[in-house]
Structure formats: C-alpha cells, structure tokens
C-alpha cells in the first residue's frame, strides 16, 4: 500500500476517533444521535475508499476512448498502445502512448474534458525530443 493511501486512511480513522470521543463526552440524551453521526461518517469514509478505485478506472476508460479518437484523427493508419502508470505517485489521467513505428519513444498525454495535449515524452538515448515522429510540442 502506498504511503499516501496509508496517511489518508489514518486521517479518516482519526476523524472517526475524535468524533467518537466527542460523542461519549456529550450528555446521554444527545449521545445516541452523535453515535449515529459517527457511524454515518465512518460509512461514508469506507465507501469513499472502496469506490474511488472503480471511479478512477471508469474515468480512465472514458479518457482512453477519447485519446484513441484523437490519435485516429491525428495519425490515421498507425497503430499504438495506450497504458498508464498505476502508482499513486502519478496522475491517473496521464496516459502513455507507444506507437508501433516508434517503439523506443513514450508519449504522455493529458486528457481533459475540453482538450487532449501531449505533456511528456520518453526519449531514447542520444536523441532530442523534437526528433520524435509524433512530437507535438508538449502542450504548447
């Protein structure tokens, strides 16, 4: 598990713990309502951590379709492979493209609602980034 995820989970547990302590410090007539609130907060936090990976995967699927359409218009007749880095260190909406006619190069695209732009490039040794056949100027 990534350290960022651990920190997020510990923070969520901390919020529930603080609310639980506060609930037991309240008078008896309000305690039942406050414990219900604590339970609801815990359920919402659990749902967040359970649903988030599926939410990201769903949106990445849509963005892959958008990028495929963009690449088909820009580079007709070519083949490519789209992937993404899955670590928490990387933006899940930055997609990496390897073209079949340029295997050593990796082009990173950012896919947003209104635009698709090239934001990164993996260059083979001893070559300049603008020597790539599919170099688009990195979002200029």
């Amino acid at each position: 598990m990534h350290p960022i995820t651990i920190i997020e989970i510990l923070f969520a547990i901390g919020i529930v713990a603080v609310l639980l302590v506060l609930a037991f410090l309240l008078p008896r007539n309000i305690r039942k309502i406050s414990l219900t609130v604590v339970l609801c907060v815990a359920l919402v936090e659990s749902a967040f951590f359970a649903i988030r990976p599926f939410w990201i995967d769903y949106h990445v699927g849509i963005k892959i379709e958008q990028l495929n359409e963009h690449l088909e218009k820009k580079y007709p007749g070519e083949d490519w492979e789209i992937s993404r880095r899955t670590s928490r260190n990387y933006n899940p909406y930055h997609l990496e493209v390897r073209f079949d006619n340029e295997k050593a190069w990796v082009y990173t695209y950012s896919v947003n609602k209104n635009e698709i732009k090239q934001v990164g490039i993996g260059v083979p040794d001893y070559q300049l980034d603008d020597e790539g056949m599919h170099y688009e100027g990195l979002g200029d």
Side-chain angles (χ1 to χ4, degrees):
M1 193 176 301
H2 195 274
I4 294 172
T5 306
I6 294 171
I7 291 169
E8 289 173 347
I9 291 172
L10 289 175
F11 185 73
I13 291 171
I15 290 172
V16 170
V18 167
L19 290 175
L20 193 59
V21 168
L22 290 175
F24 280 109
L25 294 176
L26 293 173
R28 275 185 184 248
N29 56 352
I30 303 175
R31 189 173 301 159
K32 187 174 182 179
I33 295 170
S34 59
L35 288 174
T36 304
V37 170
V38 171
L39 179 64
C40 289
V41 169
L43 289 174
V44 167
E45 288 178 349
S46 299
F48 170 77
F49 288 111
I51 293 171
R52 182 173 55 176
F54 299 108
W55 181 264
I56 290 173
D57 288 343
Y58 170 74
H59 285 281
V60 166
I62 292 171
K63 291 182 183 303
I64 287 174
E65 290 175 19
Q66 291 173 335
L67 182 57
N68 264 325
E69 290 174 12
H70 170 77
L71 294 174
E72 285 173 2
K73 290 177 188 172
K74 192 149 185 134
Y75 305 108
E78 292 193 35
D79 294 321
W80 53 81
E81 178 183 318
I82 298 175
S83 62
R84 72 178 177 104
R85 295 184 179 178
T86 56
S87 171
R88 289 288 308 267
N89 292 342
Y90 302 104
N91 184 337
Y93 305 120
H94 282 185
L95 303 172
E96 295 182 342
V97 177
R98 288 184 188 267
F99 290 91
D100 285 348
N101 60 352
E102 202 174 28
K103 287 276 189 193
W105 295 70
V106 179
Y107 298 93
T108 304
Y109 286 85
S110 174
V111 181
N112 296 318
K113 288 181 182 178
N114 301 325
E115 68 178 340
I116 297 174
K117 62 182 177 180
Q118 196 176 81
V119 294
I121 186 170
V123 181
D125 292 338
Y126 307 113
Q127 292 185 335
L128 300 174
D129 55 1
D130 59 350
E131 292 176 355
M133 294 168 40
H134 304 95
Y135 178 72
E136 298 176 11
L138 297 181
D140 293 339

